[in-house]
Amino acid sequence: MSIVTVQLGQCGNQIGFEVFDALLSDSHSSQGLCCKRENEAYQASCKERFFSEEENGVPIARAVLVDMEPKVISQTLSKAAQSGRWKYGQHACFCQKQGSGNNWAYGYSVHGPRHEESIMNLIRKEVEKCDSFSGFFIIMSMAGGTGSGIGAFVTQNLQDQYSNSLKMNQIIWPYGTGEVIVQNYNSILTLSHLYRSSDALLVHENDAVHKICAKLMNIKQISFSDINQVLAHQLGSVFQPTYSAESSFHYRRNPLGDLMEHLVPHPEFKMLSIRNVPHMSENSLAYSTFTWAGLLKHLRQMLISNAKMEEGIDWHVRPSLSGPSSLGKMSLNKDLHFNTSIANLVILRGKDVQSADVGKKFRAYIHQYTKFGIEEEDFLDSFTSLEQVVASYCNL
Amino acid sequence: MTQSVVVQVGQCGNQIGCCFWDLALREHAAVNQKGIYDEAISSFFRNVDTRVIGDGGSISKGKICSLKARVRYISLDSYITLIFDCNRKESLNVMEGIEMLRIRPGIRTNKKMQGILKILVLIFRAVGHRVFGSLYQDQILEKLRKSAEHCDSLQCFFIIHSMGGGTGSGLGTFLLKMLEDEFPEVCRFVTSIYPSGEDDVITSPYNSILAMKELNEHADCVLPIDNQSLFDIISKIDLMVNSGKLGTTVKPKSLVTSSSGALKTRHKKPFDAMNNIVANLLLNLTSSARFEGSLNMDLNEISMNLVPFPQLHYLVSSLTPLYTLTDVNIPPRRLDQMFSDAFSKDHQLLRADPKHSLYLACALMVRGNVQISDVRRNIERLKPSLQFVSWNQEGWKTSLCSIPPVGHSHSLLALANNTCVKPTFMELKERFMRLYKKKAHLHHYLQVEGMEESCFTEAVSSLSALIQEYNQLDATKNMPVQDLPRLSIAM
């Protein structure tokens, strides 16, 4: 069953490219441990999920690229074409000239409605190409204007138009010390809207991934492409075909559905995070050995202590829920994701709400949002809905 | 692609504008090896051939036409320069100094670019605002409309002028109001040269205060610069370079201030080095909008992030590094030095000390081979020494553009919304009051129809209100961060 990816904004597009690249190179990698037939089945399954075939054999990613300015999309398209192994559909992208100016209101109230039809048309075309459609995977950031504003708008529309399919939103939590000054406002507004219209929110924090790059992978000068590659690696391990629990001969047919079934028991608790082991640079791979048991042990430790990586675990144990896990084979990287009372995430979110609160008290930057139709009541609504979410998580 | 129109007003504005076009061409020539008209160039240049010469209100068009481009691209976007200049001598409608810069193909860089900049000058007299504003309003409006129509998506007007003179301050600010009425959705970025202590125009305080009122109300974003700081920076560079302290690591001529490598050599004019700095400021400001990078920042994001309240839109800028290093591989220490320099008061383009005042917001626009980890590391390092306003403790905006400026391997432009602009305004007000109390030179202004004393008093009160707002923010400087109670909800 196929997944259609919607890449929004600079962040979404850059990550989306890395994800497709990682998926394809992983399925074609020559390091597999299984027999040829298995490899082929794996490849076929992966391909069907994310790519559609073209005449000359080059797979085309099932993706829609949206951005309000042309530079990033043209870069992404050319990078994909250059790799020679896959590419994006020629007409699968939508871009404007002027950007959203980091303004959620501009993205949501102006760009969204204005371009609603074109964007939904593109998505519909992609969906029609799929034989059996499983759901949407939407990649966006929360700090900017396009990803957050248009992302919220598009997710809402998808909810209306495709109410039977599942949507998983991959959102990027910005750095704590700021990449965009109004990121708190943008994040609050995005989260509150997404909570209502999305089925699951998979959160990645720039800070955490940055630390993984620094400590575990030993990269000296970390660039955004390094960060995106780590993210793609993690996402890849979620989405690669896995055996289902019942029979070990067929791959799971409905990836998104299965994930949601296990991980989102109640619509109130939608936030997911990924813990992935092991992370290391290519050079160290040759010097390390793994055992399944060792990896599992690491993961359990990470989970109990709510750490994002293997090192530097803080051993204050907080009680946590654990849900069923899905194990993947065929790749060297395993993953487990749990839906716990994500204390870390909740704290982060709490802090975000608070700093946005303080800003709002002084009415800072509000005039930029009211220019496009987002009034103070909208802010208030967002605050209340997020507080509710935080409270319900805390009650667990 | 975001397109902008540059409006150069007054002698100062024009001179800076000339330097700007030279440097812009130089930069695009360096980046765009094939000489093909592309999206990056389209932000400032239009791919057309014809020239229009009008009389009275004349305009000029900056064009780049390249042989290949015409075949492959349809004409895309546009840029136009409107230049009005004032000459203290008499007669209107005398066209002075038609300067043509023609770049022939095959010249050193072997690019197939031909650029023709035609600068036609319209001459006005002193009080540009009232008289000439209204007199030429229609013509000016027409030219502006035409230029906007040529653009696919006009995003921004850049206005370059001085505050001390007549045309620059008067007509320049009149244009602001007109632009706001005519194109309300297009941002207006103003680069204003503030008069410094020793000024050659005696009535500059009057001109400046009257202009400030308009800037307060009609500009989206103002970058104040003053001549004294530019001069200090130049002398510092000269000193460092000539003293040989830095040895062979520094090239003899700083590329920030010189126009070497530009497509045509003009006569060296006295203010050239200083104008080049301002031109570089504008180039760096728009670099992330024109070129690719891993974290882009458009022009509308500048005002979105750095202007928390509509009144406080004055941004102090600083540009580093100032010297051109011969060594291309920059050790991280140098990189960190670049970040520290950006916050030192010697590198600011206004006489101000941001480190000891309150920051409302700060933007770092980095160009070249700098990655996000370097930026993060430096922000962490510098944060403790800077005071941010209580409700915006993490008020940083970063942008990374992969194309470095010509001759450098990386550069940083820091824009700060900081209360350190307050002393400049207060000083301006003081000089104004000194003259105003004695009613000196006032009759010249009052002779113009439409000007009354109330204009002066209004202008002063608007400036005082602005200073008051900055004062209020300063008062919160050392207060601890308040912890606001969270919204409590019933479960």
Side-chain angles (χ1 to χ4, degrees):
Chain A
M1 292 184 72
S2 329
I3 300 179
V4 169
T5 311
V6 183
Q7 308 176 186
L8 295 156
Q10 179 175 26
C11 174
N13 282 308
Q14 286 177 338
I15 293 181
F17 167 73
E18 297 288 349
V19 168
F20 281 111
D21 214 31
L23 283 172
L24 201 65
S25 50
D26 179 58
S27 71
H28 285 282
S29 86
S30 50
Q31 285 176 342
L33 300 167
C34 300
C35 69
K36 187 159 184 237
R37 198 169 45 116
E38 293 246 19
N39 274 342
E40 279 178 6
Y42 179 75
Q43 275 177 20
S45 169
C46 165
K47 241 184 166 180
E48 191 226 344
R49 221 178 251 194
F50 289 102
F51 297 89
S52 61
E53 273 301 320
E54 214 201 27
E55 297 88 41
N56 54 1
V58 177
I60 300 190
R62 297 189 199 277
V64 177
L65 299 90
V66 179
D67 198 3
M68 289 299 121
E69 47 145 18
K71 292 192 294 270
V72 182
I73 288 194
S74 42
Q75 229 187 341
T76 315
L77 287 176
S78 61
K79 269 203 284 191
Q82 265 172 12
S83 77
R85 289 173 299 162
W86 64 282
K87 58 181 185 163
Y88 282 107
Q90 263 173 348
H91 301 289
C93 62
F94 175 81
C95 70
Q96 286 294 291
K97 306 266 185 177
Q98 279 211 22
S100 301
N102 283 166
N103 192 331
W104 191 90
Y106 199 47
Y108 187 80
S109 320
V110 176
H111 280 308
R114 208 185 276 175
H115 307 299
E116 179 180 348
E117 218 180 291
S118 344
I119 300 181
M120 296 313 284
N121 267 341
L122 281 177
I123 297 183
R124 190 176 316 127
K125 274 197 212 142
E126 276 304 319
V127 173
E128 280 165 14
K129 273 199 246 175
C130 301
D131 278 334
S132 60
F133 177 61
S134 146
F136 292 103
F137 181 55
I138 302 163
I139 316 182
M140 52 199 259
S141 70
M142 289 212 297
T146 310
S148 59
I150 298 193
F153 187 78
V154 165
T155 316
Q156 229 171 291
N157 266 25
L158 289 176
Q159 174 80 340
D160 293 332
Q161 290 194 11
Y162 299 89
S163 41
N164 288 331
S165 8
L166 299 166
K167 294 170 287 302
M168 179 184 276
N169 285 57
Q170 152 76 43
I171 53 184
I172 304 293
W173 197 279
Y175 280 105
T177 50
E179 318 165 359
V180 170
I181 296 181
V182 289
Q183 67 192 29
N184 295 330
Y185 283 158
N186 291 340
S187 310
I188 300 278
L189 289 165
T190 314
L191 271 178
S192 60
H193 277 85
L194 280 183
Y195 227 80
R196 277 178 263 158
S197 38
S198 171
D199 296 311
L201 299 173
L202 186 56
V203 183
H204 272 112
E205 298 159 38
N206 267 347
D207 276 318
V209 184
H210 191 110
K211 264 193 235 150
I212 293 181
C213 284
K215 296 247 174 71
L216 293 179
M217 301 185 67
N218 268 323
I219 307 179
K220 293 292 177 212
Q221 236 195 349
I222 301 173
S223 65
F224 270 122
S225 62
D226 296 318
I227 294 186
N228 291 344
Q229 273 168 7
V230 171
L231 274 172
H233 179 93
Q234 291 192 342
L235 286 174
S237 31
V238 172
F239 283 119
Q240 290 293 36
T242 62
Y243 284 142
S244 58
E246 304 88 50
S247 70
S248 54
F249 293 117
H250 301 292
Y251 286 108
R252 280 225 164 115
R253 299 286 291 157
N254 189 358
L256 279 184
D258 288 334
L259 287 176
M260 310 279 193
E261 192 189 317
H262 286 136
L263 296 171
V264 186
H266 187 277
E268 190 67 18
F269 304 113
K270 282 184 190 166
M271 304 200 59
L272 307 174
S273 67
I274 291 191
R275 307 278 195 278
N276 197 335
V277 287
H279 271 295
M280 43 181 59
S281 61
E282 305 238 333
N283 302 331
S284 330
L285 266 178
Y287 302 105
S288 2
T289 55
F290 308 106
T291 61
W292 187 248
L295 285 176
L296 272 184
K297 185 167 144 227
H298 262 151
L299 263 178
R300 183 148 280 141
Q301 286 175 341
M302 273 164 66
L303 212 64
I304 298 178
S305 60
N306 243 320
K308 298 278 195 253
M309 41 179 222
E310 296 156 1
E311 296 178 21
I313 298 182
D314 168 23
W315 279 107
H316 291 112
V317 178
R318 293 182 206 94
S320 60
L321 281 181
S322 58
S325 56
S326 54
L327 299 178
K329 300 191 183 176
M330 299 302 274
S331 53
L332 204 49
N333 311 305
K334 290 71 176 182
D335 64 329
L336 284 175
H337 31 184
F338 283 52
N339 186 8
T340 72
S341 61
I342 308 179
N344 227 355
L345 213 52
V346 166
I347 290 176
L348 255 181
R349 212 166 358 137
K351 179 162 165 286
D352 223 32
V353 174
Q354 196 173 29
S355 49
D357 231 351
V358 176
K360 194 175 154 281
K361 184 187 179 223
F362 292 89
R363 302 285 184 272
Y365 298 103
I366 300 268
H367 72 280
Q368 311 268 17
Y369 289 88
T370 47
K371 251 201 298 192
F372 298 109
I374 301 291
E375 300 294 331
E376 293 196 23
E377 293 85 46
D378 297 308
F379 276 99
L380 204 59
D381 281 338
S382 306
F383 280 132
T384 34
S385 49
L386 283 182
E387 290 285 348
Q388 267 173 338
V389 172
V390 174
S392 41
Y393 267 106
C394 288
N395 270 341
L396 276 179
Chain B
M1 204 67 216
T2 65
Q3 282 121 38
S4 325
V5 172
V6 175
V7 184
Q8 313 169 184
V9 194
Q11 181 180 34
C12 169
N14 283 329
Q15 288 184 350
I16 296 182
C18 286
C19 294
F20 175 71
W21 293 115
D22 261 357
L23 294 185
L25 282 173
R26 176 177 87 175
E27 186 171 270
H28 280 288
V31 173
N32 192 349
Q33 296 292 327
K34 296 188 234 152
I36 300 178
Y37 180 79
D38 68 355
E39 293 245 353
I41 306 186
S42 74
S43 57
F44 281 119
F45 295 92
R46 184 162 66 125
N47 189 24
V48 174
D49 226 10
T50 54
R51 305 174 282 166
V52 169
I53 307 177
D55 37 3
S58 333
I59 45 165
S60 79
K61 296 184 181 132
K63 314 148 226 156
I64 282 192
C65 24
S66 94
L67 308 170
K68 279 188 191 166
R70 282 226 257 136
V71 173
R72 289 198 208 154
Y73 283 76
I74 321 167
S75 103
L76 288 176
D77 323 284
S78 87
Y79 150 81
I80 288 190
T81 322
L82 285 170
I83 304 188
F84 306 91
D85 198 354
C86 165
N87 191 314
R88 297 266 162 73
K89 308 191 191 80
E90 318 309 48
S91 44
L92 306 163
N93 286 336
V94 169
M95 301 210 280
E96 184 200 27
I98 303 174
E99 226 181 296
M100 276 179 49
L101 287 173
R102 182 177 280 133
I103 299 97
R104 294 184 203 85
I107 204 175
R108 54 189 284 201
T109 43
N110 203 24
K111 310 277 188 292
K112 292 196 179 74
M113 273 190 173
Q114 253 188 357
I116 302 182
L117 271 172
K118 219 177 180 19
I119 304 174
L120 297 170
V121 173
L122 184 65
I123 300 185
F124 292 139
R125 240 175 140 201
V127 187
H129 192 117
R130 297 278 165 171
V131 177
F132 298 100
S134 42
L135 210 54
Y136 289 92
Q137 184 170 1
D138 289 329
Q139 285 171 331
I140 300 174
L141 208 52
E142 156 111 20
K143 308 295 183 207
L144 284 171
R145 273 201 210 116
K146 231 184 184 175
S147 67
E149 271 163 36
H150 283 299
C151 296
D152 265 343
S153 63
L154 177 62
Q155 193 177 53
C156 189
F157 282 108
F158 280 101
I159 296 149
I160 315 180
H161 71 137
S162 68
M163 303 278 280
T167 320
S169 61
L171 189 56
T173 45
F174 177 77
L175 277 175
L176 268 181
K177 175 140 199 337
M178 217 158 60
L179 289 172
E180 184 175 8
D181 290 334
E182 190 64 23
F183 306 98
E185 288 173 359
V186 180
C187 345
R188 297 165 290 284
F189 268 83
V190 187
T191 310
S192 310
I193 312 293
Y194 276 66
S196 35
E198 325 93 32
D199 210 5
D200 50 352
V201 179
I202 300 185
T203 53
S204 68
Y206 285 153
N207 291 337
S208 311
I209 300 278
L210 290 167
M212 279 287 294
K213 169 162 177 288
E214 304 293 325
L215 284 181
N216 269 343
E217 290 170 23
H218 303 301
D220 279 323
C221 215
V222 180
L223 300 162
I225 302 180
D226 78 51
N227 274 338
Q228 190 57 41
S229 335
L230 290 178
F231 191 67
D232 287 340
I233 291 180
I234 306 279
S235 1
K236 204 163 75 101
I237 296 180
D238 281 339
L239 205 65
M240 282 306 270
V241 169
N242 291 332
S243 74
K245 236 194 274 183
L246 296 171
T248 49
T249 50
V250 178
K251 281 195 185 146
K253 243 177 166 228
S254 163
L255 270 166
V256 169
T257 59
S258 85
S259 48
S260 62
L263 295 163
K264 153 133 185 170
T265 42
R266 291 174 286 121
H267 304 296
K268 277 212 79 147
K269 298 205 196 112
F271 281 95
D272 254 1
M274 293 159 64
N275 292 341
N276 276 325
I277 297 185
V278 182
N280 271 308
L281 164 73
L282 284 175
L283 282 177
N284 283 349
L285 193 69
T286 52
S287 63
S288 189
R290 290 177 290 141
F291 299 118
E292 59 186 22
S294 54
L295 189 57
N296 292 333
M297 175 155 129
D298 240 343
L299 296 165
N300 46 11
E301 294 175 24
I302 297 181
S303 70
M304 172 72 188
N305 283 299
L306 293 173
V307 182
F309 303 104
Q311 288 282 27
L312 307 179
H313 52 243
Y314 295 88
L315 306 178
V316 183
S317 46
S318 73
L319 210 52
T320 53
L322 296 170
Y323 329 115
T324 317
L325 301 168
T326 48
D327 181 10
V328 187
N329 297 321
I330 306 300
R333 211 165 30 96
R334 276 271 160 73
L335 204 61
D336 289 2
Q337 182 62 34
M338 182 175 82
F339 279 89
S340 319
D341 277 343
F343 292 95
S344 85
K345 75 174 181 194
D346 295 330
H347 281 74
Q348 308 295 325
L349 296 184
L350 184 70
R351 249 171 327 137
D353 188 9
K355 258 192 167 157
H356 295 112
S357 320
L358 194 62
Y359 273 91
L360 294 163
C362 184
L364 297 172
M365 306 182 67
V366 189
R367 294 180 71 172
N369 188 18
V370 182
Q371 304 299 349
I372 186 70
S373 56
D374 301 316
V375 179
R376 294 244 72 81
R377 185 182 67 234
N378 280 294
I379 293 183
E380 305 284 331
R381 190 173 59 93
L382 291 166
K383 212 162 106 138
S385 58
L386 302 170
Q387 296 173 11
F388 270 82
V389 78
S390 63
W391 39 261
N392 201 3
Q393 284 289 318
E394 309 101 22
W396 296 90
K397 163 84 183 148
T398 45
S399 96
L400 298 168
C401 172
S402 15
I403 312 278
V406 176
H408 296 255
S409 63
H410 54 273
S411 85
L412 169 67
L413 166 68
L415 291 170
N417 194 341
N418 191 314
T419 54
C420 64
V421 287
K422 197 177 58 168
T424 313
F425 295 157
M426 287 173 45
E427 199 188 300
L428 211 55
K429 186 173 159 199
E430 225 173 287
R431 287 165 59 198
F432 175 90
M433 295 311 282
R434 267 203 301 252
L435 282 179
Y436 192 61
K437 281 212 183 86
K438 305 287 183 187
K439 306 271 191 271
H441 300 283
L442 213 54
H443 61 281
H444 293 295
Y445 288 82
L446 296 177
Q447 262 173 9
V448 180
E449 84 183 54
M451 278 296 280
E452 293 150 2
E453 280 211 31
S454 61
C455 300
F456 285 86
T457 45
E458 272 171 23
V460 177
S461 55
S462 124
L463 185 60
S464 312
L466 186 66
I467 296 182
Q468 188 55 22
E469 286 210 33
Y470 277 114
N471 273 335
Q472 274 175 348
L473 282 170
D474 262 339
T476 66
K477 200 165 30 170
N478 287 320
M479 277 168 31
V481 182
Q482 293 174 301
D483 264 349
L484 283 180
R486 303 268 294 270
L487 279 177
S488 55
I489 35 173
M491 274 300 288

